[in-house]
Amino acid sequence: MTFDRRVKIAPSILSADFADFGREIRAIEDQGADWVHVDVMDNHFVPNLTFGPPAVKAFRRHVTTVMDVHLMIAPVDPSIDAYAEAGADILTAHVEAGPHIHRTLQAIRGAGMKAGVALNPGTPAEAVAHLLDLADLVCVMTVNPGFGGQKFIDMTGKIRALREMIGDREVHIEVDGGVDPDTAPRVVAAGADVLVAGSAVFRGGSVDVPEVYGSNIAAIRAATDAA
Ligand code: DX5
Ligand code: ZN
């Protein structure tokens, strides 16, 4: 993975057909996805339950781009090796998930993955001020995590502050939640380079009509080109 700040679109397979992940992943990659975003939820840190390491390992067989795994679980540390073994390229943990995020980020890199740190909407940018040399990605949540299809919460001020704090470090700013052709240009103008989108990519399409995924991805990309 080489670092660049070009806009990358990372469809969240939370909005895919849960009975058909392999074909769904191949379809979004064929249709222009840059990364594949995998939302892991534990029914404890967030009020929803998705999948764990064995499923993520099975997804890996279909991902040819970058597997971006977003952990919405607590605690994180006992599961880090399992996600490395499952083949995550990037493993993101929430700053709110426990008292030792610094140790968690060290452990993620120590296990051979890129380390991400996510911020809930209520958490200020300053929460990562002392973590930027340990992180490869900061994920700014623009919804309260747990579900796809929620309304975008404007965090452009936080994104701007992070962009300033990051300076010339090779740290991506990812935005997750309610990203669509209307909101994408706003977050890109503020400094984001990775756009997670679930509903806005999968809506109206299916593995049998994958061109719709392609036009949805293209619409987000075109909107950001103008930003
Ligand atoms: C929210 C997840 C997101 C979400 C994005 O808890 O982390 O990745 O599913 O979905 P949309 O794009 O539908 O808001
Ligand atoms: Zn996510």
Side-chain angles (χ1 to χ4, degrees), residues 76-97:
V76 172
D77 295 10
S79 297
I80 291 173
D81 288 344
Y83 286 99
E85 218 260 311
D89 295 300
I90 304 170
L91 193 67
T92 296
H94 271 260
V95 80
E96 306 86 2

Side-chain angles (χ1 to χ4, degrees), residues 12 14 37 39 41 70 72 141 145-149 176-178 196-199:
S12 165
L14 187 62
H37 185 82
D39 284 308
M41 303 187 185
H70 177 192
M72 286 160 275
M141 295 303 302
F147 304 95
D176 188 358
V196 175
S199 350

Side-chain angles (χ1 to χ4, degrees), residues 7 24 76 95 106 142 156:
V7 172
E24 290 276 40
V76 172
V95 80
Q106 286 178 320
T142 39
T156 45

Side-chain angles (χ1 to χ4, degrees), residues 145-165:
F147 304 95
Q150 302 182 81
K151 193 175 156 14
F152 178 81
I153 304 169
D154 190 348
M155 291 283 138
T156 45
K158 191 192 290 188
I159 297 165
R160 259 188 221 99
L162 285 166
R163 187 66 201 86
E164 181 89 29
M165 287 160 67

